[in-house]
Amino acid sequence: MQTEQKEQLSLLMDGEFVNDHIIDEVSHNESLQSCWHRYHIVRDTMRGELHSSVLTLDISNQIAQAIASEDLYNQLPDQPNTKTTALPKAENLIWIHVKDFFAKASQVGLAACVTLGIIAGVQYQQSQTDNTNGSPILNTIPVGVNVAPVGGIHQQNDQQLLEKRQYDKIRLLVQDYELQKRLNAH
């Protein structure tokens, strides 16, 4: 019955249904009045005519009912009696400590195994790439930067220095090319 009344109420609101009986029901039924109000809010929202003053959200009655129905003094489940509770045996305490020790030791062992696997994998991968293209995976020297050794360096003549710079530049360009080729391959 309620769904039929709501359908009739929707038709009445759209102007497609005129019946004095439904108007009398709306005037006497509080549920239908709130439904009528919600339908108008939805219609105004869809038309973009909704004003903020129309929406008044009053949930104080519902909160007051929820607070009134809430049990403030929860009955706790049966608590163990400290006089009848037996203390754990000393041998059980030892086993608890042994289990804790082995749990921590296994965690440390697992971390050590993972670290060992990572280090071995990087070294293996680096040796594979050294054999194939001569370019290291983990290059700590930035591309395009010449690293000069620290300390007493004897001066070379200009021709050797120029050739070394050209060689280094070509080597860095080739390294950069290989790195770009590997990055773009993935």
Side-chain angles (χ1 to χ4, degrees), residues 30-53:
E30 207 170 299
S31 171
L32 288 177
Q33 288 174 4
S34 67
C35 186
W36 176 260
H37 181 69
R38 283 193 309 271
Y39 284 168
H40 277 281
I41 289 174
V42 169
R43 182 191 66 189
D44 290 344
T45 303
M46 290 172 56
R47 290 182 180 171
E49 301 171 353
L50 185 66
H51 300 288
S52 61
S53 62

Side-chain angles (χ1 to χ4, degrees), residues 54-69:
V54 174
L55 288 178
T56 55
L57 185 60
D58 185 20
I59 58 171
S60 59
N61 291 338
Q62 294 151 339
I63 292 174
Q65 289 173 356
I67 291 173
S69 66

Side-chain angles (χ1 to χ4, degrees), residues 38-143:
R38 283 193 309 271
Y39 284 168
H40 277 281
I41 289 174
V42 169
R43 182 191 66 189
D44 290 344
T45 303
M46 290 172 56
R47 290 182 180 171
E49 301 171 353
L50 185 66
H51 300 288
S52 61
S53 62
V54 174
L55 288 178
T56 55
L57 185 60
D58 185 20
I59 58 171
S60 59
N61 291 338
Q62 294 151 339
I63 292 174
Q65 289 173 356
I67 291 173
S69 66
E70 187 174 314
D71 184 17
L72 297 178
Y73 303 103
N74 293 337
Q75 296 295 330
L76 297 176
D78 293 335
Q79 295 292 316
N81 188 356
T82 56
K83 294 177 183 176
T84 60
T85 304
L87 294 174
K89 297 178 182 176
E91 57 192 34
N92 290 342
L93 289 176
I94 292 172
W95 283 112
I96 291 172
H97 289 298
V98 168
K99 284 193 325 187
D100 287 343
F101 171 75
F102 280 118
K104 291 176 185 174
S106 66
Q107 290 173 353
V108 170
L110 179 63
C113 289
V114 168
T115 305
L116 178 66
I118 290 172
I119 291 171
V122 167
Q123 288 179 347
Y124 176 76
Q125 186 71 19
Q126 199 168 18
S127 68
Q128 291 294 320
T129 57
D130 286 343
N131 294 339
T132 57
N133 60 8
S135 177
I137 291 177
L138 299 173
N139 191 2
T140 57
I141 301 172
V143 176

